[in-house]
Amino acid sequence: MVQQVESIWFDGKLVPWNEAQVHVLTHTLHYGCGVFEGIRAYKLADGGSAVFRLKEHVHRHFNSAKILEMQIPFTEDEICDAILETLQANKMDEGYIRPLSFIGAGAMGVFPGDNPIQTIIATWPWGAYLGEEALDKGIRVKTSSFTRHHVNVMMTKAKTSGNYVNSVLAKREALADGYDEALMLDTEGYVSEATGENIFIVRGDIIKTTPLTSVLDGLTRNSIITVAKDLGYEIVEQRFTRDELYSADEAFFCGTAAEVTPIREVDRRQIGAGTGGRITKHLQTEYFKVVKGENPNYAHWLDRYTV
């Protein structure tokens, strides 16, 4: 359950949590044409607080809106400032941040006409998305019967609300079958991504991840690639199949919510030793150092604020 905090930023001002409401005829509620981001703020090792890759997340948010032909009536800098303002208003030294831009009420029908584009920013406390134990021991994954979007059916580079119906169906199926997460294939049968995470596999000392074809250009994915290369690992962006995943030495998911989560089993097949592997654990450790401000080489990824 989302833990209620004091305020939500709504179209330029902070309003009490329970007053952040929209009309039932809000266009996006009916047709799914909205864009959102998932962002994290971390309490740093030195006692301060910072949002991880704030500017890049907000820039992607605006690109998502551009793809959907939605004109957000604020600048990127204004939304960045609003995110920090919302965290401070809610006295949150760490937590999850959800900006959402959507088409408001007015015209009803597929074409939204001149309906207003509205934006909210909500923040709340949130721990490990897939569970604290998952970060250590890894998770069990099922290949979904639902295929990931084709690039000319949905706009896969936009973080669009309606796209996630696909994820909801896959996640429900996986949980109902006793798994922790769903793995989704693209329309040609290659591994794509999970319901809200990008995927990496390890074979020997080579780390492989799916290229930016059907998958979202994840900022955590980008961060892991950057950190891994800086650590001297070889990264290959290349399509791979389920059977290559089955026989991998290691595998892990990454995302703002999932952070770096090992995969210990896929479709009843144990991956590697059945726990977080050496390279996965190394990258996980280094990633947490980065987001908690313990690696000065990546200080530019942190937007500090005070509570």
Side-chain angles (χ1 to χ4, degrees), residues 11 33-35 61-76 78-79 101-104 112-119:
D11 284 344
C33 197
V35 298
H61 186 71
F62 275 73
N63 277 342
S64 293
K66 180 180 182 180
I67 290 168
L68 267 62
E69 297 187 284
M70 295 169 56
Q71 183 65 48
I72 298 173
F74 299 96
T75 66
E76 292 186 30
E78 287 172 332
I79 295 299
S101 295
F102 59 95
I103 303 173
D114 295 325
N115 292 19
I117 305 301
Q118 299 183 267
T119 299

Side-chain angles (χ1 to χ4, degrees), residues 59-192:
H59 185 63
R60 186 175 67 177
H61 186 71
F62 275 73
N63 277 342
S64 293
K66 180 180 182 180
I67 290 168
L68 267 62
E69 297 187 284
M70 295 169 56
Q71 183 65 48
I72 298 173
F74 299 96
T75 66
E76 292 186 30
D77 285 343
E78 287 172 332
I79 295 299
C80 286
D81 290 343
I83 287 170
L84 298 177
E85 178 188 4
T86 306
L87 287 164
Q88 292 170 321
N90 290 323
K91 301 178 177 60
M92 294 183 62
D93 56 8
E94 62 181 358
Y96 190 77
I97 306 154
R98 171 55 55 86
L100 168 71
S101 295
F102 59 95
I103 303 173
M108 185 52 68
V110 173
F111 180 62
D114 295 325
N115 292 19
I117 305 301
Q118 299 183 267
T119 299
I120 66 97
I121 298 165
T123 64
W124 62 85
W126 207 6
Y129 177 61
L130 295 169
E132 293 292 343
E133 187 175 280
L135 290 175
D136 180 37
K137 296 182 179 179
I139 60 173
R140 298 178 64 247
V141 176
K142 169 190 170 65
T143 301
S144 180
S145 67
F146 296 97
T147 303
R148 207 50 161 164
H149 298 298
H150 184 276
V151 294
N152 205 35
V153 172
M154 298 294 284
M155 299 288 97
T156 59
K157 297 301 172 286
K159 199 169 174 66
T160 306
S161 302
N163 284 3
Y164 282 79
V165 173
N166 186 232
S167 294
V168 170
L169 292 170
K171 185 79 169 188
R172 281 182 166 173
E173 177 186 59
L175 294 181
D177 289 345
Y179 291 84
D180 303 303
E181 183 56 287
L183 174 72
M184 307 188 75
L185 308 180
D186 66 21
T187 53
E188 295 182 65
Y190 290 90
V191 171
S192 179

Side-chain angles (χ1 to χ4, degrees), residues 46-63:
D46 64 8
S49 296
V51 181
F52 184 60
R53 303 200 69 171
L54 172 62
K55 296 179 181 66
E56 293 95 329
H57 274 287
V58 171
H59 185 63
R60 186 175 67 177
H61 186 71
F62 275 73
N63 277 342

Side-chain angles (χ1 to χ4, degrees), residues 134-139 199-208 224 227-228 231 233 245 248-254 258-264 271-288:
L135 290 175
D136 180 37
K137 296 182 179 179
I139 60 173
I199 187 171
F200 288 76
I201 62 173
V202 179
R203 297 174 68 88
D205 288 328
I206 298 174
I207 304 168
K208 184 181 289 190
I224 292 296
V227 171
L231 290 169
Y233 289 111
L245 168 58
D249 298 323
E250 305 176 34
F252 63 91
F253 287 137
C254 74
E259 297 166 313
V260 179
T261 300
I263 299 169
R264 59 185 172 90
I271 304 300
T275 187
R278 174 181 60 86
I279 292 175
T280 299
K281 286 292 189 179
H282 188 198
L283 292 176
Q284 184 188 68
T285 298
E286 294 302 317
Y287 177 76
F288 279 116

